[in-house]
Amino acid sequence: MKLAASDFDGTLFKTDSICGEDIAAVREWRKAGHKFGVITGRDYGLLLPLLQHFGIESDFVVCNNGAILFDGTGRLLYQAPIDRDVVVALALQPCLAGSLHVAFSQGDKTYIFRNREGSWIFREAGQWNFPLQIISEADIAHLEGVQQLSLGFAAAEDAAACTRQLNELFGDRIIACQNRGSVDITSRTINKSQGIKKLLELMHWTEDRLYVIGDELNDLPMIRRFEGYAIASAREEIRREAKQTFPTVGSMLRQFI
């Protein structure tokens, strides 16, 4: 049995779609007895409707950059929340004022504080019927079990500045990772590499026949740790770190099936 874990946005899901080649290859991969899953910075509730729409069946899902894991039936396997006092302190930071949204991931729920025009979460929520719950600033102090905060900036330089500030102020307890205009914040030890390692441990799988593929900075930990692959449209620094590049996820699956 082989294992394949694909990043979602920019890797499997590009230009608001999943190509037919990738859909067919995932089906062939699983039919051959191998396991396939998605590893993403998204919330579970912001991912599942898309997988269902495009007919992608998975054997596992790693969401919020490794902070929460589900099996193929949607059963929660693992969750790594941020301490509540840190969540509150983060939400009050001045650099968040420019974000188009502040999203709090709690299990399979997404809570949103602030809704500004241009927010990708609200755009896709309208398009794909994502379940979002709007909260006020006063509600933030009562949230428990938040495993990720997500921000969205109109300008990548604003996202970069906020990322630097948050890591400088809270770097002993969280890690903020920028992908273009988005910023994802998780507990300090959480990343996609750790998420996969936890999955392997819980499922009693080994990594000797594991294939991972991605395109962005938050994919680097798993690409480095597991000698992974990059999509051809990935950032140059991601392609440099990857063992090989592929035009599509499907082409990687078919090479190793």
Side-chain angles (χ1 to χ4, degrees), residues 148-175:
Q148 180 171 277
L149 275 73
S150 300
L151 315 175
F153 294 86
E157 54 266 29
D158 293 336
C162 186
T163 300
R164 287 193 299 271
Q165 183 174 336
L166 294 179
N167 283 326
E168 288 171 3
L169 292 172
F170 301 95
D172 61 331
R173 301 184 73 179
I174 61 96
I175 182 167

Side-chain angles (χ1 to χ4, degrees), residues 97-110:
S99 179
L100 302 173
H101 58 251
V102 181
F104 301 85
S105 309
Q106 184 192 67
D108 58 354
K109 297 181 175 64
T110 303

